[in-house]
Amino acid sequence: MHKVGQKSIPVHLFPALTVNQRTATMEKFRRVSPFRLAALIRAQKDPKLAFQFFLNPNSNVNPSSKSNQRPYSYSLLSYDLIITKLGKAKMFDELELILSKLKQETRFKPTEIIFCNIITYYSRAHLPERAIHMFDEIPSFHCQRTVKSVNTLLNGLLICREFDKMWKILLGFDWFACPDVCTYNIMINACRMQNDMQGAWKVFDEMRKKGILPNAITFSTLITGLCACLKVKDALELKKDMIRVYNIKPTKYVYASLIKGLCECNELNLSFKLKDEMFENDVEVDSSIYTTLISGIFKVGRTDEVNVVLEEMKRNGCIPDTATYNALIAGYCAAKRLDLALEFLNELEEKAFKPDVISYNVLIRAYFNEGKLREAMDLFEDMPRRGCKPDVLSYRIAMQGLLSEMKLKEVVFLLDEMMFKGYAPHLLTVNKLMSLLHEEGDYELMLEVVNSLAKGNYIDDNCWRLAVSTIFAKHEAVNFHSVFDALTNSISEAH
């Protein structure tokens, strides 16, 4: 019996072979086929190991064997799989090595979608120059560029906010392909993101002049931009043209933008009419629509209508999510109904959706603003038990609230805890704390603050000045060297 990997091959399967022929046959059995390599790469979760599999598919074969000297016949699928894994893992140096091997392939031509994916990986990693270079290199792989790769590059540059480069690509578009509706949608979105709705209209007009019909995404992008600029009347007119002229039904995203824009303009009644229109046209009304309406209700002070909306949500089988509860908590905090805000926070904990840190921060700030120091700190300290860790904003809110009540010892304690967790305090809060300690001449607390700030290397010139002047005011008889030694010893202990 001859062992090949984990399996044994009976000698009688090739009795007429010589020893050398038998060895060569077994080596052939041991070689990993292109199909097997693709399966190994697909199954390997670790991109580093997958990369090693790709580079050394037959590492277990006898190095002295002549069969091992032949170039491995990689499949296009293997290239596609390893490129995907390396791109998602942002292992771009390794990806470049794979591309150099792919460029040397003569048995097949890679498809354009592979390069589109690579451009997307570079764009998501905010490497626009690499994305452009990959686009320029596509022909060297014997692959023709089409509108698909141009659009991918434009969208990638949009992700990187490289707007000027996008226009340059668009000007040279005719060298590669003819722009399509997707091309113009990307450029309209670029204008929207720059709040340039005049530019967006120019792109829209050029699109129509070239006989390219807009689609639902075109109108959704334009309407979203108009609503963001509070040009809601223009957005509503465009919605009418969308239906009447182009026979395109408004999508959920169109309605969501319009409802949000109307709520921002305090046109609440019209917002509710659009919501009813969504039901009439069989457009999904999800929790985000109701959340926007709830925020709008609080904005215009019609708080009594909140329960009506919540009841309608339940009636229509729409479950309030964390964002909905956050809107309720924020709304009731703004209305100074902190009891109801706390009720909704507690109710949210009982639901499938858990409160996020925003839920707590809004209510904690509201408690401080109303002078309810104890309630604010109880909720802050209770956050970990409730399954939500305080973030940097939580600490900053608590520090500012305690500082406004002159609870300096508590502020210093929070500062130390904050620095220990790696959170940076707000500079204005630190300066105010140092100033108050200086005014009170609290030498001991001042040293504690310096010690805490030193842990995060957060001491600035103003902190040094106040610390030194405080110590001089407290101990007029001491010399400068004594003061300096006290401060440097404090910093050394912190490290």
Side-chain angles (χ1 to χ4, degrees):
M1 300 288 283
H2 293 276
K3 291 188 176 180
V4 180
Q6 298 298 320
K7 297 181 179 179
S8 297
I9 301 177
V11 176
H12 69 268
L13 290 179
F14 35 85
L17 299 180
T18 66
V19 174
N20 289 338
Q21 289 174 327
R22 199 174 294 158
T23 302
T25 304
M26 288 189 295
E27 297 260 348
K28 184 177 179 180
F29 273 114
R30 288 202 296 183
R31 286 176 64 84
V32 175
S33 68
F35 177 81
R36 176 62 178 156
L37 178 61
L40 288 171
I41 294 172
R42 191 195 300 276
Q44 180 52 246
K45 294 181 180 180
D46 186 341
K48 293 181 180 179
L49 288 178
F51 178 63
Q52 292 302 321
F53 281 160
F54 185 90
L55 292 183
N56 304 289
N58 289 312
S59 57
N60 65 323
V61 178
N62 184 358
S64 62
S65 170
K66 292 182 180 180
S67 63
N68 194 48
Q69 304 303 315
R70 294 199 305 271
Y72 187 84
S73 299
Y74 291 99
S75 66
L76 180 59
L77 177 59
S78 294
Y79 276 106
D80 191 12
L81 290 169
I82 193 61
I83 286 171
T84 300
K85 285 189 179 292
L86 295 176
K88 288 181 177 179
K90 298 182 180 180
M91 295 172 61
F92 297 127
D93 291 338
E94 291 83 353
L95 178 55
E96 293 289 342
L97 181 60
I98 298 298
L99 287 175
S100 67
K101 291 177 71 67
L102 179 59
K103 189 177 287 189
Q104 297 170 8
E105 289 287 350
T106 57
R107 293 171 297 106
F108 54 78
K109 294 180 181 180
T111 56
E112 187 183 18
I113 188 63
I114 290 178
F115 303 109
C116 290
N117 290 336
I118 295 170
I119 291 170
T120 300
Y121 297 138
Y122 283 141
S123 302
R124 289 174 180 171
H126 292 276
L127 297 170
E129 295 302 329
R130 283 200 176 190
I132 293 171
H133 179 71
M134 182 70 267
F135 176 78
D136 292 338
E137 284 286 295
I138 291 176
S140 67
F141 291 85
H142 307 289
C143 178
Q144 184 177 356
R145 290 175 293 192
T146 70
V147 66
K148 184 180 294 184
S149 56
V150 186
N151 287 344
T152 302
L153 179 60
L154 286 173
N155 193 60
L157 294 174
L158 179 66
I159 293 171
C160 298
R161 305 296 190 266
E162 294 283 354
F163 301 114
D164 291 340
K165 289 184 174 67
M166 292 179 66
W167 292 110
K168 289 179 181 178
I169 296 293
L170 187 66
L171 288 174
F173 207 111
D174 293 339
W175 285 93
F176 315 113
C178 294
D180 61 8
V181 64
C182 181
T183 310
Y184 285 104
N185 286 345
I186 294 168
M187 300 311 298
I188 290 171
N189 198 23
C191 294
R192 179 194 67 81
M193 291 173 68
Q194 298 174 88
N195 295 320
D196 179 16
M197 290 311 298
Q198 186 175 357
W201 282 118
K202 287 182 180 178
V203 175
F204 183 63
D205 290 339
E206 181 185 333
M207 176 184 183
R208 290 183 295 175
K209 286 177 184 177
K210 290 194 173 184
I212 299 173
L213 293 175
N215 59 18
I217 296 174
T218 314
F219 289 106
S220 178
T221 306
L222 286 167
I223 288 171
T224 299
L226 290 169
C227 291
C229 297
L230 299 182
K231 296 181 178 180
V232 185
K233 288 184 179 179
D234 292 339
L236 289 170
E237 285 300 315
L238 186 58
K239 170 180 166 286
K240 290 179 181 177
D241 288 344
M242 179 182 181
I243 300 169
R244 184 177 60 247
V245 179
Y246 296 95
N247 196 29
I248 298 175
K249 292 182 179 180
T251 63
K252 177 177 69 174
Y253 305 104
V254 168
Y255 280 109
S257 295
L258 287 168
I259 290 171
K260 185 177 180 180
L262 289 167
C263 286
E264 288 291 329
C265 296
N266 297 332
E267 294 284 351
L268 198 60
N269 291 337
L270 194 49
S271 296
F272 276 97
K273 285 183 180 179
L274 281 181
K275 182 261 300 176
D276 293 337
E277 184 181 306
M278 290 178 73
F279 281 113
E280 293 169 6
N281 294 334
D282 292 324
V283 179
E284 180 191 4
V285 181
D286 60 15
S287 61
S288 65
I289 299 294
Y290 282 110
T291 299
T292 302
L293 291 171
I294 288 170
S295 296
I297 288 172
F298 281 116
K299 189 172 183 288
V300 298
R302 289 160 55 174
T303 312
D304 294 340
E305 298 178 28
V306 171
N307 285 333
V308 177
V309 175
L310 288 174
E311 287 300 320
E312 182 183 317
M313 282 186 76
K314 295 175 183 176
R315 205 165 49 244
N316 291 325
C318 187
I319 301 173
D321 58 13
T322 301
T324 310
Y325 278 95
N326 283 346
L328 290 164
I329 293 166
Y332 281 119
C333 284
K336 298 185 178 182
R337 293 297 309 275
L338 305 190
D339 53 336
L340 288 177
L342 182 61
E343 279 186 27
F344 278 108
L345 178 66
N346 293 333
E347 182 180 320
L348 179 55
E349 286 188 340
E350 300 170 2
K351 305 293 182 181
F353 301 101
K354 290 294 182 183
D356 57 19
V357 71
I358 298 173
S359 314
Y360 290 97
N361 288 346
V362 169
L363 186 50
I364 290 169
R365 189 190 293 277
Y367 276 134
F368 276 122
N369 290 341
E370 291 299 306
K372 296 186 176 184
L373 181 69
R374 189 66 267 155
E375 289 87 343
M377 288 309 298
D378 283 346
L379 186 57
F380 174 81
E381 292 167 0
D382 206 30
M383 285 177 67
R385 185 191 65 79
R386 289 171 174 249
C388 184
K389 294 181 180 179
D391 65 359
V392 62
L393 184 58
S394 309
Y395 277 97
R396 288 182 175 183
I397 292 170
M399 282 185 65
Q400 291 167 0
L402 290 170
L403 203 57
S404 65
E405 298 293 329
M406 292 297 292
K407 301 293 183 181
L408 302 186
K409 287 185 178 179
E410 289 85 346
V411 175
V412 173
F413 175 82
L414 269 187
L415 175 65
D416 186 66
E417 184 178 308
M418 186 180 190
M419 299 302 294
F420 177 77
K421 292 186 176 182
Y423 295 144
H426 197 283
L427 184 59
L428 291 176
T429 305
V430 172
N431 286 334
K432 185 178 180 181
L433 172 61
M434 295 288 282
S435 297
L436 290 172
L437 291 173
H438 173 68
E439 290 172 10
E440 296 201 355
D442 198 323
Y443 169 76
E444 287 78 11
L445 276 183
M446 180 70 77
L447 283 182
E448 285 188 39
V449 171
V450 171
N451 182 54
S452 295
L453 293 174
K455 292 178 181 177
N457 294 320
Y458 202 75
I459 299 179
D460 63 2
D461 294 340
N462 187 57
C463 292
W464 274 112
R465 181 180 58 79
L466 289 170
V468 171
S469 59
T470 301
I471 296 173
F472 267 120
K474 186 73 174 178
H475 303 284
E476 293 180 355
V478 302
N479 58 33
F480 172 78
H481 294 292
S482 300
V483 175
F484 184 78
D485 289 342
L487 289 172
T488 53
N489 287 338
S490 176
I491 293 174
S492 297
E493 291 173 2
H495 289 283

